[in-house]
Amino acid sequence: MSDLVTLTIDGQQIQTAPNTLLVEAAAQLGILVPVYCYHPKLAPIGACRMCLVEIEGMPKLTPSCTTPVKEGMVVHTQNARVEKARRGMLEFLLIHHPLDCPVCDKGGECPLQDYTYEFGPRKTRFRYPKRHWDKPLQIGKNILLDRERCIMCLRCVRFCEEISDHQQIGVFERGHSQCIGTVPGHSFDSQFSGNTIELCPVGALTGAPTRFFGRTWEIQHTPSICTGCAAGCNIRIDHRQQRDVVRLWSRENKHTDDGWLCDRGRFGYEFVNQDRLKDFKILQDGQLVDATTQQATVKAASILSKHANSGSLGVLASPILTNEELYAVEWLTRSVLQTSSIDHTASAVNPQAVQLHSVVREAGFRSGVLTDIDEAAQIVTIGVDLSNDQPITELRVKKALFQRKAQLVSLYPETIELGRYTEHNLIYEPGQEASVVASLAAAVRSGGGEGVVGQAARLLSSEAPKAVIVGWKLQGLSDFSALAKALGELASALGPDVPCITIYPNCNTRGALDLGITPGWLPGGVAATGSSESGMTGIQILEAARDGRLKALWVVGAEPLLEADPELVKAALANVEFIYQGWSLRDVPVDPDVVLANVTFAEQAGTFTNTDGRVQRIYPAVKPHGRSRPGWQIVADLGRALGKTWEATSDQEVFEQIRQAVPAYSQIKWSEVGTLGVQSGASAPPAMAGATG
Amino acid sequence: MISEFIKGLGITLLQVIRKPTTVNYPEEKRPTVARARWRHKLLRHEDGLERCIGCSLCVGACPSHCITVVAADNTDEDRRSPGERYAAVYEINMLRCIFCGYCEDACPTGAIILGPDFELADYDRASFVYGKDRLLVPAPGEIARVKTRF
């Protein structure tokens, strides 16, 4: 214990690690030191002087956010001198502050309001006119800047420098005209710009899409999961009286998002509020008319039963449905309708590459989780552009690069955003993936070689901990077996126990794979045998529908339709009996015969499985629009209409069934999933899967 | 005993000649007290701009949760109030309102006041939700949109 430092804060002794900042040590004791510029994820700067404390033996007050603890320090955070300093600082900060709290989006959750109320002076002695600027200033697509409200804590600028490295905003001028602004000629269009709204301790940076969303004391918060990509970022849904979703906020989970949220996720909630299906509908005389739940269910069931067990039905289920919904769809399709043509995507995926996470495990990698990036000193990305494919993981990689000086090797057909930070950009012609990976593996084994590959190989042949990230774009390769072999060579060249993280496209693609929403695979990642073997893939389903080989389509969620050629989708849907289950008809080009109104993720309870297999729960935030219902309930009704009863009355009961069906989930206790999720047994011994298969 | 009869009848006769306390409402109306707190009004500035800035502080103060405010952005083409924000929706549910006047206290711009109009009876529930069309006083020169009842 000798490496701990002992000090006294407000008469309380504390032992803490060296280099802990005073403000953190005080927080450990539960002592509140007001801060604006300090943020645990940003480097200390000491800009706002709000956290001044008195240290015995020091002539002047000291900012506690930049001062590390020292042995024997005696600190006072609450005496008259400190309180006078706080009062003075707040008076300074408020000199030019417009005090327009009634119209400010931050009002109610604003530290400047709170601390002024708690520590501040009641009056200002400043008798001169306040500084005025045009406001609000739209500095980026999603960000509005109000320079009058700014207190120059520089959290936003530091975020853009230290975390995202999108240095689009900076500090301009000096003295009383000092302000935040964008780099001349550029706008603040970083895809992480929304985080500065959260970081801003005042209302200087506010969201343009969420402007005047309501007052903070009127909104309720519900924990949920972002559906933007497969990272599974934890979010907080802010809603007004369970009606509209007004804002998404980040919710820190070190396993997935590390406290940040990208703009695609943060502002991508409009589909919950707009163009929603409120009623079940049926097609009558070429017109979609509202129908009762019963009528629509019976009609859908009659279409399904007509084509059951005949190979003339295709099922497409969206990978942004919950595990519970997907499980229900899988149950109805395989067990009741005896159909094996079921898929979660309509993009071209090589059948060998569907279960990409299993493929890399078989190649010899360890199933990686996102936090493995935090341990790695060398990161290899193969066929993935994280800034498009999973922005939040890009931030995690950047953290490794900036804070721990990790090295990156990038294999991608073009220069990616992360390529700025490495010399090891292995750019190849699309289609050459296998040969590039194989040549890298060979070079690593021989300890070097010529050119970029050789340099990268020299780097990778060291003993440092490594992590490999592979992207779903590799799934589309026509010659996947060569790549699988090359990955195997790379795995053996890099050494044992190298984690490999698979990046999937959608928030529950991993769940869809685990639950058998893909032809040829049953729930639990078990290869299908016998009658259920020869299902069609998504693209084949659409082609067969267009060519008249399929007579009926059941589409749950429109996402697969968006991935295919629009002409093909239109021709396919017009040519079959079409049952659509979803939350909006916006992306459905052809009027379906039956429309079943499904709720979105914001209205139901359930689970999502993120890209590395972490099972996380969502909670109902808003009330279902109209008569829409959770998908598994609709499917249960369809099953009942088809004469098959499915015993489940709550999402928990459905999850219990999933646990029994999917070995990787068998260890997950519902009570433990909570708001932060549980890692599914991705690292479970393969023997387990084999035993069930 | 007879004196009691006369006493009682005397009181009755006194009431007959006394001026009645009731009035022939609604033909006749009694003046309300100066500080009567009844139906709300949303006021305007002298230049016709709305005083309400849609800040929802009245909603926060309201003990009976009868006010709904949805704010929107002022633009230069369509300016409703000074500053950035105005109330696109301002609704008071008069059935819930207890006329406590806290909204008036909370208002930072003096936009909402409770006035002397007390005749709020109506035939269906929906019409007790007063929107801006009924709450906002007419702009100078504008024909009254405030519906009068009876």
Side-chain angles (χ1 to χ4, degrees):
Chain A
M1 298 308 271
S2 60
D3 53 348
L4 288 185
V5 175
T6 310
L7 71 157
T8 312
I9 304 178
D10 289 349
Q12 299 183 58
Q13 265 208 349
I14 180 175
Q15 284 200 319
T16 183
N19 292 326
T20 308
L21 298 171
L22 273 181
V23 63
E24 289 162 355
Q28 286 167 17
L29 282 172
I31 296 168
L32 172 86
V33 177
V35 288
Y36 293 122
C37 70
Y38 168 78
H39 189 277
K41 289 193 187 299
L42 301 172
I45 179 175
C48 72
R49 319 306 282 180
M50 196 58 222
C51 63
L52 292 174
V53 292
E54 184 175 355
I55 301 173
E56 283 186 13
M58 302 269 270
K60 293 209 285 183
L61 298 181
T62 316
S64 59
C65 76
T66 53
T67 314
V69 293
K70 281 219 177 75
E71 187 64 40
M73 237 179 200
V74 182
V75 183
H76 300 282
T77 72
Q78 277 157 21
N79 63 17
R81 220 177 139 202
V82 172
E83 276 161 21
K84 180 166 182 251
R86 281 178 191 165
R87 231 178 5 255
M89 274 325 299
L90 281 164
E91 197 177 350
F92 270 136
L93 292 177
L94 293 173
I95 275 184
H96 287 305
H97 193 83
L99 293 174
D100 58 352
C101 307
V103 297
C104 176
D105 269 348
K106 195 78 178 181
E109 54 180 18
C110 174
L112 188 60
Q113 262 185 337
D114 296 348
Y115 292 153
T116 305
Y117 197 76
E118 197 166 345
F119 307 112
R122 290 290 175 267
K123 282 183 183 158
T124 177
R125 289 169 287 174
F126 188 68
R127 291 180 290 112
Y128 302 97
K130 291 199 178 205
R131 176 194 62 191
H132 282 296
W133 264 319
D134 281 345
K135 63 187 225 175
L137 206 61
Q138 181 134 20
I139 56 170
K141 190 167 148 271
N142 297 317
I143 306 292
L144 297 170
L145 170 66
D146 184 327
R147 289 169 292 180
E148 293 175 1
R149 292 179 190 152
C150 179
I151 57 166
M152 298 311 288
C153 70
L154 306 191
R155 277 191 191 181
C156 52
V157 178
R158 284 145 67 210
F159 172 82
C160 292
E161 277 173 8
E162 295 168 19
I163 308 287
S164 72
D165 197 34
H166 293 164
Q167 300 187 17
Q168 295 162 335
I169 53 174
V171 185
F172 295 86
E173 305 291 338
R174 301 286 293 169
H176 107 300
S177 34
Q178 193 179 31
C179 65
I180 301 291
T182 54
V183 176
H186 292 270
S187 61
F188 184 31
D189 286 332
S190 159
Q191 60 173 335
F192 302 107
S193 62
N195 291 302
T196 59
I197 302 171
E198 276 184 43
L199 286 173
C200 185
V202 295
L205 292 165
T206 49
T210 57
R211 183 161 165 83
F212 301 154
F213 58 87
R215 302 317 302 269
T216 48
W217 55 87
E218 294 177 316
I219 55 178
Q220 289 92 41
H221 314 303
T222 306
S224 190
I225 305 297
C226 177
T227 57
C229 75
C233 297
N234 289 205
I235 55 169
R236 195 185 81 191
I237 299 181
D238 288 2
H239 49 94
R240 254 181 114 161
Q241 287 142 19
Q242 300 190 337
R243 263 183 255 149
D244 282 348
V245 174
V246 295
R247 185 172 77 168
L248 303 185
W249 214 241
S250 73
R251 185 161 65 82
E252 183 165 357
N253 182 347
K254 67 177 169 37
H255 300 284
T256 54
D257 51 54
D258 211 18
W260 309 118
L261 194 58
C262 72
D263 286 7
R264 182 163 23 133
R266 180 184 302 274
F267 300 115
Y269 59 83
E270 273 312 312
F271 75 95
V272 179
N273 295 339
Q274 284 178 1
D275 296 333
R276 287 294 302 276
L277 266 172
K278 292 193 165 57
D279 275 300
F280 289 63
K281 291 175 195 289
I282 50 179
L283 195 67
Q284 266 178 4
D285 310 325
Q287 289 283 321
L288 272 180
V289 292
D290 288 354
T292 63
T293 313
Q294 176 76 11
Q295 282 170 333
T297 309
V298 166
K299 184 160 181 205
S302 75
I303 295 175
L304 290 175
S305 68
K306 200 159 50 172
H307 301 286
N309 208 2
S310 66
S312 57
L313 172 70
V315 179
L316 291 172
S318 159
I320 78 167
L321 298 168
T322 64
N323 284 331
E324 285 69 16
E325 291 174 315
L326 291 172
Y327 179 75
V329 171
E330 201 276 340
W331 165 76
L332 195 75
T333 309
R334 288 228 173 85
S335 306
V336 180
L337 302 171
Q338 305 293 328
T339 299
S340 51
S341 297
I342 177 170
D343 208 348
H344 65 277
T345 173
S347 55
V349 172
N350 190 317
Q352 291 172 302
V354 175
Q355 305 270 2
L356 194 58
H357 61 279
S358 305
V359 172
V360 295
R361 194 167 60 215
E362 278 153 26
F365 290 107
R366 172 164 69 79
S367 296
V369 291
L370 293 171
T371 40
D372 284 330
I373 298 171
D374 299 336
E375 321 268 295
Q378 293 167 356
I379 300 163
V380 186
T381 63
I382 304 174
V384 61
D385 175 11
L386 285 175
S387 47
N388 273 323
D389 299 350
Q390 209 169 93
I392 231 62
T393 307
E394 184 192 55
L395 280 193
R396 197 181 280 272
V397 173
K398 280 184 174 172
K399 183 172 147 195
L401 299 183
F402 302 158
Q403 293 186 6
R404 294 186 298 104
K405 304 287 175 238
Q407 302 271 348
L408 178 76
V409 177
S410 147
L411 283 72
Y412 199 70
E414 45 199 271
T415 317
I416 59 172
E417 153 84 13
L418 283 172
R420 291 198 281 153
Y421 309 106
T422 177
E423 295 160 4
H424 311 294
N425 277 310
L426 276 59
I427 298 170
Y428 53 83
E429 290 291 315
Q432 300 293 310
E433 286 83 356
S435 61
V436 173
V437 175
S439 63
L440 180 65
V444 172
R445 199 167 293 145
S446 67
E450 296 285 302
V452 198
V453 176
Q455 279 178 16
R458 260 193 294 285
L459 175 76
L460 292 174
S461 51
S462 74
E463 286 289 302
K466 300 174 181 66
V468 179
I469 306 174
V470 296
W472 82 83
K473 283 166 192 162
L474 299 177
Q475 289 179 312
L477 289 183
S478 52
D479 184 19
F480 189 78
S481 49
L483 179 69
K485 192 161 157 277
L487 284 172
E489 288 164 16
L490 184 66
S492 65
L494 291 181
D497 203 37
V498 172
C500 182
I501 302 141
T502 0
I503 304 296
Y504 282 116
N506 292 99
C507 79
N508 207 19
T509 306
R510 177 70 181 261
L513 295 173
D514 287 343
L515 292 168
I517 309 290
T518 181
W521 297 90
L522 301 180
V526 182
T529 49
S531 60
S532 52
E533 201 169 7
S534 58
M536 285 185 267
T537 64
I539 194 93
Q540 288 168 342
I541 289 173
L542 289 173
E543 282 166 359
R546 180 193 58 194
D547 301 341
R549 282 176 283 131
L550 282 188
K551 297 282 180 281
L553 264 184
W554 176 29
V555 177
V556 190
E559 280 68 28
L561 303 180
L562 296 172
E563 292 169 352
D565 171 28
E567 291 303 312
L568 168 64
V569 171
K570 219 170 183 175
L573 297 182
N575 208 14
V576 290
E577 287 189 273
F578 174 27
I579 304 167
Y580 175 69
Q581 179 179 338
W583 39 87
S584 167
L585 282 171
R586 189 171 42 191
D587 301 319
V588 183
V590 175
D591 277 349
D593 293 287
V594 187
V595 177
L596 309 167
N598 206 103
V599 296
T600 64
F601 78 105
E603 291 134 83
Q604 63 172 324
T607 56
F608 284 133
T609 309
N610 85 340
T611 197
D612 61 10
R614 191 174 189 80
V615 177
Q616 308 187 93
R617 269 179 84 177
I618 56 169
Y619 297 83
V622 289
K623 286 185 187 138
H625 282 233
R627 287 190 286 152
S628 56
R629 307 176 66 198
W632 59 269
Q633 293 178 6
I634 297 175
V635 174
D637 279 358
L638 285 173
R640 221 164 284 133
L642 290 164
K644 285 279 163 70
T645 315
W646 180 41
E647 295 300 338
T649 51
S650 70
D651 54 311
Q652 185 181 352
E653 284 181 31
V654 187
F655 189 77
E656 289 304 324
Q657 296 188 17
I658 294 175
R659 273 186 55 195
Q660 285 164 19
V662 183
Y665 295 9
S666 60
Q667 302 298 319
I668 297 173
K669 291 199 182 67
W670 179 252
S671 55
E672 286 172 6
V673 180
T675 49
L676 294 178
V678 170
Q679 187 65 38
S680 72
S683 49
M688 219 167 141
T692 7
Chain B
M1 185 194 172
I2 200 92
S3 64
E4 259 81 59
F5 266 125
I6 294 167
K7 217 189 226 172
L9 202 59
I11 290 172
T12 310
L13 288 171
L14 210 67
Q15 296 302 328
V16 168
I17 55 167
R18 202 154 116 183
K19 200 172 165 239
T21 40
T22 52
V23 295
N24 284 328
Y25 183 83
E27 286 81 24
E28 267 177 60
K29 282 179 190 169
R30 203 189 283 282
T32 48
V33 294
R35 292 167 63 187
R37 283 197 318 242
W38 289 111
R39 188 176 164 311
H40 314 67
K41 276 188 225 166
L42 286 174
L43 302 184
R44 290 179 187 272
H45 288 286
E46 278 153 18
D47 57 1
L49 288 178
E50 293 167 18
R51 277 175 177 269
C52 177
I53 51 170
C55 70
S56 289
L57 288 179
C58 45
V59 182
C62 181
S64 57
H65 303 296
C66 68
I67 311 179
T68 309
V69 178
V70 178
D73 238 329
N74 269 317
T75 54
D76 285 333
E77 299 83 56
D78 183 21
R79 178 155 289 285
R80 311 286 184 86
S81 70
E84 299 171 46
R85 181 172 176 143
Y86 76 98
V89 174
Y90 195 107
E91 281 175 355
I92 299 181
N93 185 342
M94 293 294 176
L95 289 174
R96 282 196 181 183
C97 179
I98 57 167
F99 302 96
C100 63
Y102 282 9
C103 47
E104 197 177 323
D105 283 353
C107 185
T109 60
I112 188 163
I113 57 158
L114 277 70
D117 270 353
F118 58 87
E119 292 158 323
L120 300 170
D122 211 325
Y123 290 98
D124 67 298
R125 281 170 173 272
S127 58
F128 283 99
V129 179
Y130 280 48
K132 266 177 99 178
D133 56 337
R134 285 196 271 170
L135 292 171
L136 194 62
V137 298
E142 189 188 14
I143 297 164
R145 283 180 300 172
V146 181
K147 271 190 218 156
T148 44
R149 299 268 149 189
F150 304 108

